[in-house]
Amino acid sequence: MHKLILPLLTATLLASTGAVLAAGELTYVVNNESAKYDPGTTAETFAAPIIGNTFEGLVRFDKDGEVIPALAESWEVSEDGLNYTFHLRDAKWSDGKPVTAGDFVYAWDRVLDPATGAMNSAMLYPIVGAEEHYAAAGKGDIAISAPDDKTLEFTLKARVPYMMQLLTYTTFFPVRKDVIEADPEGWTRDPATFIGTGPFRVTEFNTGKSVVFEKNPNYYDADAVSLDKLTFRLIPDPATALAAMEAGQVDGIESVPAPEIPRLSVESDAFMVVPALGTTYAFFNPHQAPLDDVRVRKALSMAIDREEIVEFVLQSADVPAIALVPYGININGEDFRDGTDNFGLETTAQPEAAKALLADAGYPDGEGFPDTVFVTYSSPPIEKLLEAIQQMWKKNLNIDVKIQATEWQVFYPEVQKVEYQIAQMGWGADYPHPMTFLDNFVTGSPNNLANWSNPDYDAAIAAAKATGDEAESLAEMRKAEAIMMNDHVILPEYHRNNYMMMSPKVTGFWRSTLNVPYFRDASIAE
């Protein structure tokens, strides 16, 4: 089932949902609260709205998906694609201190120190010496330097065609050494120390309630920022958030309840469908019974009806997924998904084949199937999804799987320990390239939450990165995905779109396919 994911979407809104706030103030509802907002170390999607509006790196995406200057006003890349030189503009931190090239050197070196627990250290591995530095517990030379305060240089081991896209991600953002060393654990939770480089700065962290921002007067392009105050209000239940939106109490909500999508798509011009490069899936733990048998993992995946899930459970325009990488990522002139295998899966259920496979694994008609728990984070839509899957497994395989939901701050650390049997997760792209999904399954990746390892997979990923030939790289990435998918490490569910609302009084707002809402250019009419 093929649905093309469109480029980044700009919101120019036309309808009549009234907000009661004063001009220059905007309130936006988020449904989840992150455990940490450290741009260098986090990989949590829930942190993206805060970090994306308080920090910028060398470059950023514009609303059309093009890489444009941010803290760097210009740069040069050597003819062989290995040497990068960036020239910083006269930018300041939100407390007024100048941004220097040394801030980037410190930030990147920090990401490559295992002691910091950075989730995306591997993003820096293309840099000469970076991987070795990480392996040596943060020791050894790295080809990153600051010849002066306004010049940053680094050298790659091999050409990386998507390097400029990588640099837009938070892992490459600068952070301040003096701020972090003063309070390594708490600096991102105190407005006085959450010092950034973006268009807004935090004035209040109200845990469990809201995050409040004001325009950053020290932002290099502060004249382009219209909003004086921005509030992210936490409302976990999308139905409650929608009620607040329709009552005019807030200006925008990041998601709407699935059952309301058909109505809102007809009745409200404030309703938006934002394409997203994301895949929702569950991890199977291949180290815990009964999921240590690939036949069991495959049977569970074959027994669910993804089309039914999308149409009747999600009631959305999402795309049933039978693989990891979503549609909409083009390499060498073709979509990554075109021409790939289905790994023995269909978008509809295959109950007879699934039953036969489960019987072959020693559980005929589900008999003797061990107690199994499917863990998830607390979220009404996700819990509804899991209940549907639970029912499909009962109907098609005659097995009973329990569902256990806990708050994200409890759930995620437990999943990181890989002590679950089945865990609901997913991944949204950090940059528009297949590697943002595939890198997570390399041996030892902090985001490899199944602790799965396959040397052939690792070799294919390494080969994809090493070649300068895009066609060859594409072939190796497809080979890697097939290795992982044929081992059924994940239960793919659907490729995501985002369904949200924003008042027609707001212009200039946009939300990227990487799931970051940007308010830099937003303004709100009186």
Side-chain angles (χ1 to χ4, degrees), residues 336-337 340-341 343 438 452 457 475-488:
F336 180 90
R337 287 260 58 85
T340 54
D341 191 15
F343 318 113
L438 298 170
W452 176 77
Y457 182 92
E476 291 291 346
M477 287 188 290
R478 284 172 168 168
K479 175 182 175 183
E481 186 195 52
I483 292 170
M484 188 275 292
M485 285 304 309
N486 282 321
D487 204 20
H488 298 277

PDB file of all heavy atoms in Angstrom, residues 336-337 340-341 343 438 452 457 475-488:
ATOM      1  N   PHE A 336      12.784   4.765  -1.263  1.00  0.00           N
ATOM      2  CA  PHE A 336      13.418   3.612  -0.626  1.00  0.00           C
ATOM      3  C   PHE A 336      12.511   2.388  -0.636  1.00  0.00           C
ATOM      4  O   PHE A 336      12.983   1.265  -0.841  1.00  0.00           O
ATOM      5  CB  PHE A 336      13.791   3.963   0.821  1.00  0.00           C
ATOM      6  CG  PHE A 336      14.461   2.831   1.557  1.00  0.00           C
ATOM      7  CD1 PHE A 336      15.834   2.687   1.528  1.00  0.00           C
ATOM      8  CD2 PHE A 336      13.717   1.898   2.274  1.00  0.00           C
ATOM      9  CE1 PHE A 336      16.461   1.639   2.199  1.00  0.00           C
ATOM     10  CE2 PHE A 336      14.326   0.848   2.939  1.00  0.00           C
ATOM     11  CZ  PHE A 336      15.703   0.715   2.904  1.00  0.00           C
ATOM     12  N   ARG A 337      11.196   2.583  -0.455  1.00  0.00           N
ATOM     13  CA  ARG A 337      10.279   1.469  -0.325  1.00  0.00           C
ATOM     14  C   ARG A 337       9.991   0.780  -1.652  1.00  0.00           C
ATOM     15  O   ARG A 337       9.595  -0.393  -1.667  1.00  0.00           O
ATOM     16  CB  ARG A 337       8.925   1.927   0.275  1.00  0.00           C
ATOM     17  CG  ARG A 337       8.981   2.241   1.745  1.00  0.00           C
ATOM     18  CD  ARG A 337       8.428   1.062   2.593  1.00  0.00           C
ATOM     19  NE  ARG A 337       9.117  -0.203   2.402  1.00  0.00           N
ATOM     20  CZ  ARG A 337      10.222  -0.577   3.034  1.00  0.00           C
ATOM     21  NH1 ARG A 337      10.771   0.219   3.911  1.00  0.00           N
ATOM     22  NH2 ARG A 337      10.773  -1.739   2.799  1.00  0.00           N
ATOM     23  N   THR A 340      10.963  -3.117  -2.668  1.00  0.00           N
ATOM     24  CA  THR A 340      11.470  -3.912  -1.548  1.00  0.00           C
ATOM     25  C   THR A 340      10.530  -5.078  -1.249  1.00  0.00           C
ATOM     26  O   THR A 340       9.390  -5.116  -1.685  1.00  0.00           O
ATOM     27  CB  THR A 340      11.627  -3.050  -0.277  1.00  0.00           C
ATOM     28  OG1 THR A 340      10.388  -2.398   0.000  1.00  0.00           O
ATOM     29  CG2 THR A 340      12.716  -2.003  -0.473  1.00  0.00           C
ATOM     30  N   ASP A 341      11.037  -6.028  -0.467  1.00  0.00           N
ATOM     31  CA  ASP A 341      10.300  -7.247  -0.135  1.00  0.00           C
ATOM     32  C   ASP A 341       9.220  -6.939   0.915  1.00  0.00           C
ATOM     33  O   ASP A 341       9.222  -5.873   1.528  1.00  0.00           O
ATOM     34  CB  ASP A 341      11.292  -8.273   0.415  1.00  0.00           C
ATOM     35  CG  ASP A 341      10.683  -9.661   0.552  1.00  0.00           C
ATOM     36  OD1 ASP A 341       9.611  -9.891  -0.028  1.00  0.00           O
ATOM     37  OD2 ASP A 341      11.283 -10.506   1.245  1.00  0.00           O
ATOM     38  N   PHE A 343       8.729  -9.329   3.361  1.00  0.00           N
ATOM     39  CA  PHE A 343       9.232 -10.081   4.511  1.00  0.00           C
ATOM     40  C   PHE A 343       8.209 -11.073   5.063  1.00  0.00           C
ATOM     41  O   PHE A 343       8.153 -11.352   6.263  1.00  0.00           O
ATOM     42  CB  PHE A 343       9.693  -9.106   5.611  1.00  0.00           C
ATOM     43  CG  PHE A 343      10.443  -7.929   5.066  1.00  0.00           C
ATOM     44  CD1 PHE A 343       9.910  -6.643   5.145  1.00  0.00           C
ATOM     45  CD2 PHE A 343      11.672  -8.107   4.431  1.00  0.00           C
ATOM     46  CE1 PHE A 343      10.586  -5.557   4.617  1.00  0.00           C
ATOM     47  CE2 PHE A 343      12.356  -7.017   3.899  1.00  0.00           C
ATOM     48  CZ  PHE A 343      11.814  -5.746   3.989  1.00  0.00           C
ATOM     49  N   LEU A 438      17.681   3.058  10.152  1.00  0.00           N
ATOM     50  CA  LEU A 438      18.498   1.848  10.096  1.00  0.00           C
ATOM     51  C   LEU A 438      19.631   1.846  11.113  1.00  0.00           C
ATOM     52  O   LEU A 438      20.004   0.801  11.649  1.00  0.00           O
ATOM     53  CB  LEU A 438      19.057   1.673   8.682  1.00  0.00           C
ATOM     54  CG  LEU A 438      18.001   1.502   7.586  1.00  0.00           C
ATOM     55  CD1 LEU A 438      18.653   1.591   6.206  1.00  0.00           C
ATOM     56  CD2 LEU A 438      17.269   0.175   7.745  1.00  0.00           C
ATOM     57  N   TRP A 452      19.388  -6.274  19.800  1.00  0.00           N
ATOM     58  CA  TRP A 452      19.545  -7.246  18.712  1.00  0.00           C
ATOM     59  C   TRP A 452      20.889  -7.031  18.039  1.00  0.00           C
ATOM     60  O   TRP A 452      21.378  -5.891  17.958  1.00  0.00           O
ATOM     61  CB  TRP A 452      18.411  -7.041  17.717  1.00  0.00           C
ATOM     62  CG  TRP A 452      18.451  -7.893  16.480  1.00  0.00           C
ATOM     63  CD1 TRP A 452      18.108  -9.194  16.362  1.00  0.00           C
ATOM     64  CD2 TRP A 452      18.834  -7.470  15.161  1.00  0.00           C
ATOM     65  NE1 TRP A 452      18.243  -9.623  15.067  1.00  0.00           N
ATOM     66  CE2 TRP A 452      18.693  -8.568  14.302  1.00  0.00           C
ATOM     67  CE3 TRP A 452      19.284  -6.256  14.627  1.00  0.00           C
ATOM     68  CZ2 TRP A 452      18.981  -8.513  12.939  1.00  0.00           C
ATOM     69  CZ3 TRP A 452      19.580  -6.193  13.266  1.00  0.00           C
ATOM     70  CH2 TRP A 452      19.421  -7.317  12.444  1.00  0.00           C
ATOM     71  N   TYR A 457      24.100  -7.506   9.210  1.00  0.00           N
ATOM     72  CA  TYR A 457      23.414  -6.213   9.218  1.00  0.00           C
ATOM     73  C   TYR A 457      24.428  -5.092   9.407  1.00  0.00           C
ATOM     74  O   TYR A 457      24.435  -4.099   8.660  1.00  0.00           O
ATOM     75  CB  TYR A 457      22.381  -6.181  10.345  1.00  0.00           C
ATOM     76  CG  TYR A 457      21.580  -4.895  10.401  1.00  0.00           C
ATOM     77  CD1 TYR A 457      20.375  -4.789   9.730  1.00  0.00           C
ATOM     78  CD2 TYR A 457      22.034  -3.793  11.125  1.00  0.00           C
ATOM     79  CE1 TYR A 457      19.630  -3.607   9.778  1.00  0.00           C
ATOM     80  CE2 TYR A 457      21.310  -2.619  11.182  1.00  0.00           C
ATOM     81  CZ  TYR A 457      20.108  -2.528  10.495  1.00  0.00           C
ATOM     82  OH  TYR A 457      19.395  -1.351  10.535  1.00  0.00           O
ATOM     83  N   ALA A 475      21.244   0.038  -2.222  1.00  0.00           N
ATOM     84  CA  ALA A 475      21.163  -1.422  -2.238  1.00  0.00           C
ATOM     85  C   ALA A 475      21.596  -2.013  -0.905  1.00  0.00           C
ATOM     86  O   ALA A 475      20.969  -2.956  -0.389  1.00  0.00           O
ATOM     87  CB  ALA A 475      22.017  -1.982  -3.377  1.00  0.00           C
ATOM     88  N   GLU A 476      22.652  -1.465  -0.325  1.00  0.00           N
ATOM     89  CA  GLU A 476      23.137  -1.976   0.957  1.00  0.00           C
ATOM     90  C   GLU A 476      22.147  -1.669   2.087  1.00  0.00           C
ATOM     91  O   GLU A 476      21.942  -2.487   2.990  1.00  0.00           O
ATOM     92  CB  GLU A 476      24.516  -1.380   1.281  1.00  0.00           C
ATOM     93  CG  GLU A 476      25.636  -1.864   0.375  1.00  0.00           C
ATOM     94  CD  GLU A 476      25.985  -3.331   0.579  1.00  0.00           C
ATOM     95  OE1 GLU A 476      25.563  -3.924   1.601  1.00  0.00           O
ATOM     96  OE2 GLU A 476      26.676  -3.915  -0.269  1.00  0.00           O
ATOM     97  N   MET A 477      21.526  -0.496   2.043  1.00  0.00           N
ATOM     98  CA  MET A 477      20.534  -0.160   3.073  1.00  0.00           C
ATOM     99  C   MET A 477      19.313  -1.062   2.965  1.00  0.00           C
ATOM    100  O   MET A 477      18.761  -1.507   3.981  1.00  0.00           O
ATOM    101  CB  MET A 477      20.145   1.317   2.965  1.00  0.00           C
ATOM    102  CG  MET A 477      21.226   2.277   3.444  1.00  0.00           C
ATOM    103  SD  MET A 477      20.681   4.001   3.541  1.00  0.00           S
ATOM    104  CE  MET A 477      20.500   4.412   1.790  1.00  0.00           C
ATOM    105  N   ARG A 478      18.885  -1.332   1.747  1.00  0.00           N
ATOM    106  CA  ARG A 478      17.753  -2.250   1.567  1.00  0.00           C
ATOM    107  C   ARG A 478      18.101  -3.660   2.036  1.00  0.00           C
ATOM    108  O   ARG A 478      17.281  -4.358   2.639  1.00  0.00           O
ATOM    109  CB  ARG A 478      17.328  -2.261   0.095  1.00  0.00           C
ATOM    110  CG  ARG A 478      16.544  -1.016  -0.328  1.00  0.00           C
ATOM    111  CD  ARG A 478      16.305  -0.979  -1.816  1.00  0.00           C
ATOM    112  NE  ARG A 478      15.318   0.044  -2.192  1.00  0.00           N
ATOM    113  CZ  ARG A 478      15.090   0.433  -3.438  1.00  0.00           C
ATOM    114  NH1 ARG A 478      15.777  -0.119  -4.444  1.00  0.00           N
ATOM    115  NH2 ARG A 478      14.179   1.348  -3.691  1.00  0.00           N
ATOM    116  N   LYS A 479      19.342  -4.054   1.784  1.00  0.00           N
ATOM    117  CA  LYS A 479      19.820  -5.368   2.242  1.00  0.00           C
ATOM    118  C   LYS A 479      19.784  -5.434   3.770  1.00  0.00           C
ATOM    119  O   LYS A 479      19.332  -6.427   4.355  1.00  0.00           O
ATOM    120  CB  LYS A 479      21.245  -5.601   1.735  1.00  0.00           C
ATOM    121  CG  LYS A 479      21.909  -6.876   2.232  1.00  0.00           C
ATOM    122  CD  LYS A 479      23.336  -6.970   1.705  1.00  0.00           C
ATOM    123  CE  LYS A 479      24.073  -8.163   2.287  1.00  0.00           C
ATOM    124  NZ  LYS A 479      25.487  -8.210   1.811  1.00  0.00           N
ATOM    125  N   ALA A 480      20.224  -4.358   4.409  1.00  0.00           N
ATOM    126  CA  ALA A 480      20.242  -4.326   5.876  1.00  0.00           C
ATOM    127  C   ALA A 480      18.826  -4.409   6.439  1.00  0.00           C
ATOM    128  O   ALA A 480      18.564  -5.192   7.362  1.00  0.00           O
ATOM    129  CB  ALA A 480      20.934  -3.051   6.360  1.00  0.00           C
ATOM    130  N   GLU A 481      17.916  -3.615   5.887  1.00  0.00           N
ATOM    131  CA  GLU A 481      16.550  -3.651   6.385  1.00  0.00           C
ATOM    132  C   GLU A 481      15.967  -5.052   6.250  1.00  0.00           C
ATOM    133  O   GLU A 481      15.273  -5.544   7.156  1.00  0.00           O
ATOM    134  CB  GLU A 481      15.665  -2.644   5.651  1.00  0.00           C
ATOM    135  CG  GLU A 481      14.275  -2.568   6.267  1.00  0.00           C
ATOM    136  CD  GLU A 481      13.237  -1.878   5.394  1.00  0.00           C
ATOM    137  OE1 GLU A 481      13.110  -2.276   4.207  1.00  0.00           O
ATOM    138  OE2 GLU A 481      12.570  -0.962   5.891  1.00  0.00           O
ATOM    139  N   ALA A 482      16.258  -5.722   5.145  1.00  0.00           N
ATOM    140  CA  ALA A 482      15.731  -7.070   4.923  1.00  0.00           C
ATOM    141  C   ALA A 482      16.256  -8.054   5.970  1.00  0.00           C
ATOM    142  O   ALA A 482      15.519  -8.929   6.439  1.00  0.00           O
ATOM    143  CB  ALA A 482      16.089  -7.545   3.514  1.00  0.00           C
ATOM    144  N   ILE A 483      17.517  -7.911   6.345  1.00  0.00           N
ATOM    145  CA  ILE A 483      18.088  -8.797   7.366  1.00  0.00           C
ATOM    146  C   ILE A 483      17.335  -8.639   8.679  1.00  0.00           C
ATOM    147  O   ILE A 483      16.950  -9.621   9.332  1.00  0.00           O
ATOM    148  CB  ILE A 483      19.592  -8.493   7.565  1.00  0.00           C
ATOM    149  CG1 ILE A 483      20.391  -8.902   6.316  1.00  0.00           C
ATOM    150  CG2 ILE A 483      20.133  -9.209   8.807  1.00  0.00           C
ATOM    151  CD1 ILE A 483      21.829  -8.418   6.313  1.00  0.00           C
ATOM    152  N   MET A 484      17.112  -7.388   9.065  1.00  0.00           N
ATOM    153  CA  MET A 484      16.411  -7.133  10.329  1.00  0.00           C
ATOM    154  C   MET A 484      14.950  -7.555  10.258  1.00  0.00           C
ATOM    155  O   MET A 484      14.436  -8.211  11.161  1.00  0.00           O
ATOM    156  CB  MET A 484      16.537  -5.649  10.693  1.00  0.00           C
ATOM    157  CG  MET A 484      16.019  -5.291  12.082  1.00  0.00           C
ATOM    158  SD  MET A 484      14.243  -4.976  12.140  1.00  0.00           S
ATOM    159  CE  MET A 484      14.159  -3.450  11.201  1.00  0.00           C
ATOM    160  N   MET A 485      14.284  -7.183   9.162  1.00  0.00           N
ATOM    161  CA  MET A 485      12.859  -7.493   9.049  1.00  0.00           C
ATOM    162  C   MET A 485      12.622  -9.000   8.929  1.00  0.00           C
ATOM    163  O   MET A 485      11.646  -9.513   9.479  1.00  0.00           O
ATOM    164  CB  MET A 485      12.252  -6.768   7.857  1.00  0.00           C
ATOM    165  CG  MET A 485      12.025  -5.281   8.060  1.00  0.00           C
ATOM    166  SD  MET A 485      10.996  -4.882   9.495  1.00  0.00           S
ATOM    167  CE  MET A 485       9.562  -5.928   9.239  1.00  0.00           C
ATOM    168  N   ASN A 486      13.475  -9.721   8.235  1.00  0.00           N
ATOM    169  CA  ASN A 486      13.297 -11.173   8.121  1.00  0.00           C
ATOM    170  C   ASN A 486      13.564 -11.895   9.442  1.00  0.00           C
ATOM    171  O   ASN A 486      13.188 -13.057   9.605  1.00  0.00           O
ATOM    172  CB  ASN A 486      14.193 -11.730   7.014  1.00  0.00           C
ATOM    173  CG  ASN A 486      13.616 -11.471   5.629  1.00  0.00           C
ATOM    174  OD1 ASN A 486      12.410 -11.560   5.426  1.00  0.00           O
ATOM    175  ND2 ASN A 486      14.476 -11.122   4.675  1.00  0.00           N
ATOM    176  N   ASP A 487      14.204 -11.201  10.372  1.00  0.00           N
ATOM    177  CA  ASP A 487      14.378 -11.755  11.714  1.00  0.00           C
ATOM    178  C   ASP A 487      13.252 -11.282  12.634  1.00  0.00           C
ATOM    179  O   ASP A 487      13.205 -11.658  13.804  1.00  0.00           O
ATOM    180  CB  ASP A 487      15.732 -11.341  12.301  1.00  0.00           C
ATOM    181  CG  ASP A 487      16.208 -12.322  13.367  1.00  0.00           C
ATOM    182  OD1 ASP A 487      15.725 -13.459  13.393  1.00  0.00           O
ATOM    183  OD2 ASP A 487      17.072 -11.926  14.178  1.00  0.00           O
ATOM    184  N   HIS A 488      12.363 -10.436  12.105  1.00  0.00           N
ATOM    185  CA  HIS A 488      11.158  -9.978  12.809  1.00  0.00           C
ATOM    186  C   HIS A 488      11.464  -9.469  14.222  1.00  0.00           C
ATOM    187  O   HIS A 488      10.868  -9.899  15.208  1.00  0.00           O
ATOM    188  CB  HIS A 488      10.101 -11.089  12.812  1.00  0.00           C
ATOM    189  CG  HIS A 488       9.669 -11.458  11.430  1.00  0.00           C
ATOM    190  ND1 HIS A 488       8.708 -10.746  10.739  1.00  0.00           N
ATOM    191  CD2 HIS A 488      10.124 -12.411  10.574  1.00  0.00           C
ATOM    192  CE1 HIS A 488       8.582 -11.272   9.532  1.00  0.00           C
ATOM    193  NE2 HIS A 488       9.423 -12.273   9.394  1.00  0.00           N
TER     194      HIS A 488
END
